[in-house]
Amino acid sequence: QVQLVESGGGLMQAGGSLRLSCAASGSIISINFMCWYRQAPGKHGELVATIGIGGITNYADSVKGRFTISRDNANNTVYLQMTSLKPGETAVYFCNAAGIRTMFGIKSSWGQGTQVTVSS
């Protein structure tokens, strides 16, 4: 079984920065794809950023130039550096990993989410 644990959320004033981390644990050989989603109250979930095992990244238009996704393959960890935060980005941020090669096959997993609150 693969577990993802997010950390780094919190309360931040608009214009501030936060760095989220998501560490995967379990019988992991490698992780092909990692990404961050966010779910704001009353809104649909949004795919924020993705990163492949080779480091290729993609971002939602709303965060381009302000957010940076990165990963540490040796430690099965993905990060999301968020800058110039806006109040509308208050949400629960979830980490997802897919194409996880384990001793028991290919898995995918979600983290439990971390709350990010941006005050105006």
Side-chain angles (χ1 to χ4, degrees), residues 16-108:
S17 300
L18 278 175
R19 189 192 195 208
L20 305 182
S21 300
C22 172
S25 62
S27 302
I28 298 170
I29 299 171
S30 63
I31 302 175
N32 187 37
F33 190 79
M34 303 185 84
C35 57
W36 289 94
Y37 284 82
R38 63 187 177 190
Q39 177 76 57
K43 295 184 178 180
H44 292 297
E46 179 184 22
L47 178 60
V48 176
T50 69
I51 185 165
I53 193 169
I56 295 175
T57 60
N58 280 288
Y59 297 92
D61 287 343
S62 59
V63 307
K64 283 181 181 176
R66 298 185 298 117
F67 289 14
T68 302
I69 188 171
S70 60
R71 62 188 288 172
D72 177 352
N73 291 332
N75 292 301
N76 296 317
T77 301
V78 64
Y79 304 97
L80 185 67
Q81 178 69 49
M82 306 184 291
T83 64
S84 301
L85 283 161
K86 304 174 182 179
E89 293 179 314
T90 293
V92 178
Y93 285 70
F94 296 90
C95 169
N96 172 258
I100 306 170
R101 290 183 63 211
T102 75
M103 297 170 57
F104 308 102
I106 305 297
K107 309 289 183 183
S108 62

Side-chain angles (χ1 to χ4, degrees), residues 97-120:
I100 306 170
R101 290 183 63 211
T102 75
M103 297 170 57
F104 308 102
I106 305 297
K107 309 289 183 183
S108 62
S109 185
W110 286 90
Q112 81 288 353
T114 186
Q115 176 71 46
V116 172
T117 302
V118 185
S119 63
S120 57

